[in-house]
Amino acid sequence: GNSVTQMEGPVTLSEEAFLTINCTYTATGYPSLFWYVQYPGEGLQLLLKATKADDKGSNKGFEATYRKETTSFHLEKGSVQVSDSAVYFCALPLIQGAQKLVFGQGTRLTINP
Amino acid sequence: ETGVTQSPTHLIKTRGQQVTLRCSSQSGHNTVSWYQQALGQGPQFIFQYYREEENGRGNFPPRFSGLQFPNYSSELNVNALELDDSALYLCASSRGGGALPTHFGPGTRLTVT
């Protein structure tokens, strides 16, 4: 089945800093790719997705580009806020075409004012 | 519109006991997926239920079983609990058997002693 490797945390940044969280994947074909976010005390939420190579997913100022050449889907944000403090998970379907997901181990992000 | 809810929030069980966890899906969603999230790890897919039938299963032993009810709520049952079953159990709902889970519940924290 497919798998994902995610940048280990924790990551601590100051407000307005630039953020990158690395994610690389191993997959058969070209599956959709996802980033989920888990805010403190809440369930996971889909943050953004990309469904084909070179697609850019974006939401809430976050972006990630589907790079098939490097099998990567890095999460970026130009200027982070304290409210972005959360755990971020990269994910893709367990097998081609399925909506059962395999997740990375998560990256805890803390933004200091 | 209510989101995904889970109960109980947390519980403590003894090795060898049985446990039932509950999930109410988001309004209008007929598919429920269950995931196990060990401490410091990403969620792992347990199984999915669509229209009251199991619709895919991850690499979990048969002592993990589930049910989905006509109102699309769901239960996860774990028999013969082991220490390694200690984890956060997440439920996600979606619309359609092939749909991507967009929102997860806050989870049930199970501790096995």
Side-chain angles (χ1 to χ4, degrees):
Chain A
N2 299 333
S3 65
V4 58
T5 301
Q6 191 174 336
M7 169 183 177
E8 290 190 22
V11 173
T12 302
L13 296 171
S14 298
E15 209 166 16
E16 300 183 4
F18 183 85
L19 168 71
T20 300
I21 300 178
N22 291 338
C23 170
T24 57
Y25 65 90
T26 302
T28 303
Y30 301 106
S32 297
L33 302 174
F34 312 102
W35 276 100
Y36 281 81
V37 59
Q38 188 173 34
Y39 296 105
E42 299 183 16
L44 277 79
Q45 301 175 24
L46 178 65
L47 178 60
L48 55 83
K49 66 178 181 181
T51 58
K52 60 182 188 297
D54 299 325
D55 253 8
K56 178 182 285 187
S58 62
N59 187 25
K60 298 183 179 181
F62 290 89
E63 293 184 339
T65 302
Y66 191 134
R67 305 271 189 211
K68 66 176 182 179
E69 302 85 3
T70 54
T71 61
S72 65
F73 191 55
H74 304 325
L75 183 68
E76 297 181 335
K77 187 173 185 180
S79 176
V80 293
Q81 305 300 313
V82 172
S83 58
D84 294 327
S85 297
V87 183
Y88 293 82
F89 294 91
C90 186
L92 74 165
L94 192 59
I95 57 174
Q96 180 83 354
Q99 296 301 339
K100 292 79 173 176
L101 300 172
V102 58
F103 289 84
Q105 73 269 35
T107 301
R108 181 175 298 278
L109 173 66
T110 301
I111 307 300
N112 294 321
Chain B
E1 181 180 275
T2 56
V4 180
T5 60
Q6 293 185 243
S7 63
T9 304
H10 58 271
L11 72 166
I12 300 173
K13 290 286 189 177
T14 303
R15 189 171 48 184
Q17 286 187 314
Q18 179 266 343
V19 68
T20 297
L21 311 181
R22 296 178 176 83
C23 171
S24 291
S25 58
Q26 191 163 329
S27 177
H29 288 184
N30 57 13
T31 303
V32 172
S33 303
W34 286 92
Y35 288 79
Q36 181 195 64
Q37 186 179 7
L39 195 62
Q41 302 296 316
Q44 287 195 314
F45 175 72
I46 303 174
F47 43 56
Q48 182 185 81
Y49 279 82
Y50 172 58
R51 292 183 175 178
E52 302 178 57
E53 298 284 335
E54 188 177 288
N55 182 39
R57 187 179 184 92
N59 189 27
F60 280 81
R63 58 190 185 83
F64 285 77
S65 63
L67 282 174
Q68 187 178 32
F69 300 99
N71 66 354
Y72 304 130
S73 65
S74 177
E75 287 182 354
L76 164 65
N77 299 291
V78 187
N79 294 321
L81 284 167
E82 301 177 0
L83 297 179
D84 284 349
D85 295 335
S86 296
L88 182 67
Y89 289 85
L90 299 170
C91 166
S93 71
S94 52
R95 195 174 316 210
L100 174 72
T102 56
H103 283 78
F104 286 68
T108 294
R109 170 74 62 189
L110 172 65
T111 301
V112 182
T113 62

